[in-house]
Amino acid sequence: MTNLHDGSGHPPLDPNVADKLLELLSTDDEFRTLFKQDAEKALSQVGYFLPAGAPSLRCTQVEHLASKDEVAESREALKSHLTATGPLTVIFCFEAGKVSSFLRSK
């Protein structure tokens, strides 16, 4: 999460990084496997590097990653969420079967 008031947490994703992430999560089985096993490494492949001193990426861990179709169907809403600035920005929102309901609750 990002708390822009005190500088803790994770900053929003750059729109180009979010596009790359969502493209690969919706099309690339190898990247999806890497994301499930090591989200930080997967994110570095799309151009996101955890800032020095930022908390770990535990928030990206999912029990069941959303399907490629689920990510693709929610792509624009996910991109908007991942790139938003505000008091709380969460990278994690890729749990299978929960993407749409999570985004609707925002």
Side-chain angles (χ1 to χ4, degrees):
M1 284 191 282
T2 298
N3 183 329
L4 296 177
H5 300 293
D6 69 6
S8 67
H10 306 291
L13 296 182
D14 175 273
N16 293 325
V17 171
D19 276 333
K20 289 177 192 174
L21 173 63
L22 295 170
E23 177 65 26
L24 291 173
L25 286 175
S26 63
T27 63
D28 189 307
D29 289 326
E30 285 183 36
F31 182 81
R32 290 171 53 81
T33 298
L34 177 61
F35 186 84
K36 288 186 279 187
Q37 294 171 346
D38 188 344
E40 191 170 334
K41 185 174 181 180
L43 288 167
S44 72
Q45 286 188 3
V46 297
Y48 178 83
F49 300 94
L50 192 61
S56 71
L57 293 175
R58 285 190 313 264
C59 58
T60 60
Q61 296 173 347
V62 295
E63 189 171 330
H64 300 286
L65 185 61
S67 70
K68 291 186 276 189
D69 288 340
E70 190 175 4
V71 173
E73 289 168 8
S74 301
R75 184 171 176 156
E76 287 306 311
L78 283 167
K79 181 179 177 183
S80 178
H81 175 71
L82 294 170
T83 59
T85 57
L88 296 176
T89 300
V90 180
I91 292 174
F92 162 72
C93 51
F94 299 112
E95 187 74 38
K98 299 180 181 179
V99 173
S100 292
S101 62
F102 174 81
L103 292 169
R104 280 193 303 270
S105 71
K106 300 310 289 167

